[in-house]
Amino acid sequence: MSKRIVIALGGNALGNTPYEQLALVTETAKPIVDLIAQGNEVIIAHGNGPQVGMIQAAFDTAAKTNPKVAPMPLPECTAMSQGYIGYHLQQGMRRTLRASGMPWQVATVVTQVVVDPDDPAFDEPTKPIGAFYDEAAAQQMMRDDPSLRMKEDSGRGWRRVVASPKPVDIAERRSILNLLDSEYIVIACGGGGIPVTLEGHHLKGASAVIDKDFASCLLAKQLDADMLIILTAVEKVAVNFGKENEKWLDDLTVSQAKKYIKEGQFAAGSMLPKVQACVDFASSGAGRTAMITLLEKAKDGIMGKTGTQIHL
C-alpha cells in the first residue's frame, strides 16, 4: 500500500561545500526515488546546521573588510540555505528520476515556520551551527566577540550555538499540499524552516535555527503523513551506546521510547531530538509510524527489514 512519507535528511549528510554537496545529492536521491517507485508520495525536509553557519560566517567576515557588505541575519541565512540546498536536491532528484524513466517534477518551497516569541530557548542557545573548531580557537572567538556562544558538540569539536525554539505552525502548508495534489515531489522546511513570529497579520524573522527533526515532525502531522523517516549516520537506534552492553533496537513502542528518554539513553546533541520527534509523530494518530535509519537503508526500512520503527 502506498504511503505519504516525510523524509528528514541531516545537514551533515549533504557535504561541507557546494561542490561536495552537488556531487553527493545524486547518491542521496537514489534511495528516495526507490520509495517513489514503490508508489509512495514523498516530501523531503533537510537540515542546514553546517551550511547556515558557513553562510553567516562568510557575510560576517566580508562585512569586517568591506563596508559595502552588511552582516546577514540568521533568518535570511536560512532562506539562502533552503534555496541552494533545494536547488541541488532538485537537480539530483530530477537526474535520478529521468534515468529511471519517471516523469515526476520536483519543487522547493521556501518555508517559514512559526515559533513562539516567548519560547525559553531564546534565552538559552543550544543549536550547533557552522564549522568545528578546537577549544583554543573557540575560546579566542568568544573573546573577540562576547555575543558569540560556543559549545563542545558530541566529541567532534566546538561550534557556535544559537537559539532553537520549537516549531508551532508551517506558514506555507497549503502551498505544499497543493503541490502534492499536483503530483510534485516537494522539498520543504529546509533547515527546520525560516523561524518567524506572528505579529498581528505579519510574520517577522527570528534570530534562531529550528531543529529539523521537530520541524519535520510538525510537517508530517500537518500533511497527514503516514510515516516520518529520519535519516542519520546509524542504521538503528541503540541503548547503552558505546558500552559493552550496547543494544541495537529494531522496534520501539512510544512508552518504551519515553522510558529510554527518561533514563538519558540518547545524547542531547544527536539522537535525542530524533527519538523525541519520532515519539511525537507516532503519538499523534492511529497508524502513524516513525523510523530512524541510514539513508541507503530507507527502502529496506520501509519494508521492515532494518531501521528502528517507533509506533504506539
Side-chain angles (χ1 to χ4, degrees):
M1 184 182 295
S2 64
K3 299 178 184 290
R4 175 174 287 181
I5 303 170
V6 171
I7 296 176
L9 296 170
N12 289 303
L14 294 169
N16 294 312
T17 69
Y19 308 103
E20 184 180 348
Q21 181 171 286
L22 191 56
L24 282 172
V25 289
T26 299
E27 293 304 312
T28 300
K30 289 176 182 175
I32 298 174
V33 170
D34 283 343
L35 296 181
I36 297 166
Q38 292 175 335
N40 298 298
E41 189 177 49
V42 170
I43 306 96
I44 302 168
H46 61 80
N48 73 341
Q51 295 85 354
V52 72
M54 288 187 286
I55 290 169
Q56 190 167 57
F59 274 96
D60 286 347
T61 300
K64 290 174 183 176
T65 57
N66 185 345
K68 294 182 178 180
V69 177
M72 193 61 60
L74 265 177
E76 281 74 9
C77 292
T78 294
M80 290 180 185
S81 73
Q82 284 191 2
Y84 97 77
I85 294 171
Y87 155 61
H88 284 170
L89 285 171
Q90 284 176 218
Q91 286 208 330
M93 289 294 296
R94 179 184 171 87
R95 190 180 301 119
T96 306
L97 286 163
R98 296 300 177 270
S100 304
M102 299 167 71
W104 282 267
Q105 299 295 322
V106 189
T108 298
V109 177
V110 177
T111 316
Q112 301 173 94
V113 175
V114 180
V115 298
D116 183 348
D118 297 321
D119 192 310
F122 284 108
D123 298 321
E124 186 57 40
T126 58
K127 176 68 175 174
I129 66 170
F132 291 91
Y133 301 90
D134 61 33
E135 183 175 0
Q139 295 293 349
Q140 184 61 52
M141 290 169 69
M142 287 188 284
R143 285 192 290 271
D144 293 341
D145 182 356
S147 69
L148 200 64
R149 303 282 289 274
M150 306 281 288
K151 288 185 179 180
E152 201 282 326
D153 182 11
S154 305
R156 297 177 292 178
W158 287 64
R159 298 173 80 186
R160 181 187 174 192
V161 290
V162 298
S164 185
K166 293 290 178 67
V168 175
D169 193 18
I170 296 169
E172 284 74 27
R173 65 184 181 279
R174 289 183 181 176
S175 298
I176 296 167
L177 282 167
N178 286 338
L179 285 166
L180 290 173
D181 288 342
S182 298
E183 298 187 342
Y184 273 76
I185 299 160
V186 181
I187 301 162
C189 287
I194 303 163
V196 294
T197 56
L198 185 61
E199 297 187 358
H201 296 293
H202 303 287
L203 296 172
K204 181 181 178 180
S207 184
V209 173
I210 301 168
D211 187 284
K212 73 99 175 40
D213 298 317
F214 294 137
S216 299
C217 172
L218 179 62
L219 178 66
K221 290 193 291 186
Q222 291 200 341
L223 299 183
D224 196 23
D226 301 293
M227 194 168 193
L228 169 66
I229 301 178
I230 296 179
L231 301 173
T232 186
V234 293
E235 188 170 343
K236 298 178 183 181
V237 175
V239 291
N240 303 312
F241 183 71
K243 301 177 182 178
E244 288 186 3
N245 58 340
E246 177 181 85
K247 180 182 178 183
W248 297 95
L249 305 171
D250 298 316
D251 188 271
L252 268 178
T253 64
V254 165
S255 59
Q256 288 172 327
K258 287 180 176 178
K259 174 177 173 289
Y260 288 137
I261 290 170
K262 191 174 181 180
E263 291 174 0
Q265 287 282 356
F266 310 120
S270 55
M271 190 56 73
L272 179 60
K274 295 173 176 55
V275 175
Q276 288 174 323
C278 287
V279 166
D280 186 357
F281 178 71
S283 303
S284 66
R288 290 181 172 177
T289 303
M291 181 177 68
I292 298 172
T293 194
L294 284 166
L295 171 65
E296 55 267 31
K297 297 287 185 178
K299 180 180 177 182
D300 288 340
I302 200 172
M303 296 173 68
K305 295 179 180 179
T306 191
T308 301
Q309 305 271 346
I310 300 176
H311 55 86
L312 283 174

